[in-house]
Amino acid sequence: MALPVLARRSAAAVDAVSSSTSVSRSVGGAVRMNAGGHGRETVDVLQRAWVVDLQPESPLAEVVVVELSVAALELGYRSSNLPATAVVLRAEFAVDDDDPLACEARIDDVVRWRREHQPGGANSGSVFTNPPGDSAGRLIDACGLRGLRVGGAEVSTKHATSSRPTARRRPPTSSP
């Protein structure tokens, strides 16, 4: 399920992932990278996840779904201990009863902030992790890369850690 959809649906009566609106495109991706934003991370609300490794140790080994606790996932800043061949199939989140209007208001605030500060439309989202004691956006700006175009991609002028596709110019065709 798309994480923004889960956030909107959960806002009906609970507050668990309301700050996750637009953080990650999937629940599995949010678990794998411990997605976060607006002061919360997936680890703050995740209870457990069901994972399958599509490339087990032995080629004769059976593919098995494993239930993992939050501790077993070793979630850190934008990281987990999941191997590249693992897929998160399902996740369980802790929820707190809350006023539906308050949840909707928090989601609206997050969406409003993102629209003001991040590029809309097709874009990569924020794909960098911040180095200790600094911010990836500040480093990109210090290098003068905001707005840089390479091939069919451009570093966003609105949020330096995002990129977006650009229309590629086609070379002129000659007439016979």
Side-chain angles (χ1 to χ4, degrees), residues 115-169:
R115 285 185 178 147
E116 289 173 10
H117 296 93
Q118 295 183 341
N123 71 78
S124 66
S126 184
V127 297
F128 297 94
T129 56
N130 290 322
D134 210 341
S135 104
R138 191 200 69 72
L139 294 172
I140 291 167
D141 279 340
C143 293
L145 301 177
R146 195 180 287 241
L148 174 72
R149 289 182 181 207
V150 176
E154 174 186 55
V155 177
S156 172
T157 56
K158 197 170 188 181
H159 191 278
T161 63
S162 294
S163 62
R164 64 182 193 85
T166 60
R168 294 187 84 162
R169 289 182 137 182

Side-chain angles (χ1 to χ4, degrees), residues 1 3 6 16-17 26-32 42-43 45-52 65-70 73 75 82 87-95:
M1 171 180 288
L3 195 58
L6 176 63
V17 291
S26 71
V27 170
V31 171
R32 171 180 286 287
T42 302
V43 70
V45 293
L46 183 68
Q47 294 295 295
R48 57 190 171 157
W50 288 262
V51 178
V52 63
V65 176
V66 179
E67 180 183 325
L68 298 174
S69 67
V70 173
L73 290 165
L75 298 174
L82 293 174
V87 176
V88 177
L89 301 174
R90 189 170 104 187
E92 180 180 286
F93 297 95
V95 296

Side-chain angles (χ1 to χ4, degrees), residues 52-66 83-86:
V52 63
D53 191 338
L54 298 179
Q55 188 175 354
E57 297 285 325
S58 163
L60 300 176
E62 186 176 325
V63 175
V64 178
V65 176
V66 179
T85 54

